[in-house]
Amino acid sequence: MPTVMQRQAWMATLAKAELELLEKLVNKLGNLPKYSFLRSPEIGLAMVRGRAGGTGQAFNLGEITMTRCVVQLESQGEEAIPGFGYIAGRSHRHAELAAVCDALLQIPNWHDQIQAEIIQPLQAEYQKQQELKQRQAAATQVNFFTMVRGEG
């Protein structure tokens, strides 16, 4: 059984993934277990909170559009497993795929395969994109310095 932190990590990875890459990786898996919707993908709003300087008092920053979905894998002898997908934006398909992957990651027979073939490549791609953004930002950085003036 995965820990709460492990599940939070893979759900964050699925939510931040590019839909095209996620779709491509899921399609490579072949035959997935059948599933039904407990909650079809639906769009709504969520309040985003921020902190001044990252550490100050929390304040309401504004609302973002989110899509959520809940699926349930057809049971294969064991209890039915629900999977949840929450993503920023309006992509029904992205939320559905995130929910399916979340459900599969909770099944011991699928966990290692999904980790290796979906989660790890998505994490690597996300890290690559973050490093690219950091390099682009660093290239535009301006360093200001002040020369100390002598008394005179």
Side-chain angles (χ1 to χ4, degrees), residues 68-130:
R68 69 178 176 180
C69 178
V70 183
V71 301
Q72 183 170 326
L73 298 178
E74 288 186 3
S75 66
Q76 298 136 4
E78 66 256 4
E79 67 181 71
I81 306 278
F84 296 81
Y86 287 84
I87 59 115
R90 298 176 160 267
S91 175
H92 288 208
R93 182 67 176 154
H94 190 167
E96 178 183 348
L97 290 174
V100 170
C101 288
D102 176 51
L104 291 173
L105 281 159
Q106 296 175 69
I107 299 174
N109 297 343
W110 281 93
H111 180 82
D112 292 340
Q113 182 180 3
I114 301 297
Q115 276 288 344
E117 296 180 26
I118 294 183
I119 301 300
Q120 290 173 359
L122 290 176
Q123 288 173 335
E125 180 63 25
Y126 180 76
Q127 185 65 33
K128 190 171 100 176
Q129 293 300 322
Q130 290 301 103

Side-chain angles (χ1 to χ4, degrees), residues 47-51 59-63:
M47 179 61 67
V48 178
R49 296 182 51 92
R51 292 185 179 274
F59 63 93
N60 291 338
L61 185 62
E63 293 177 332

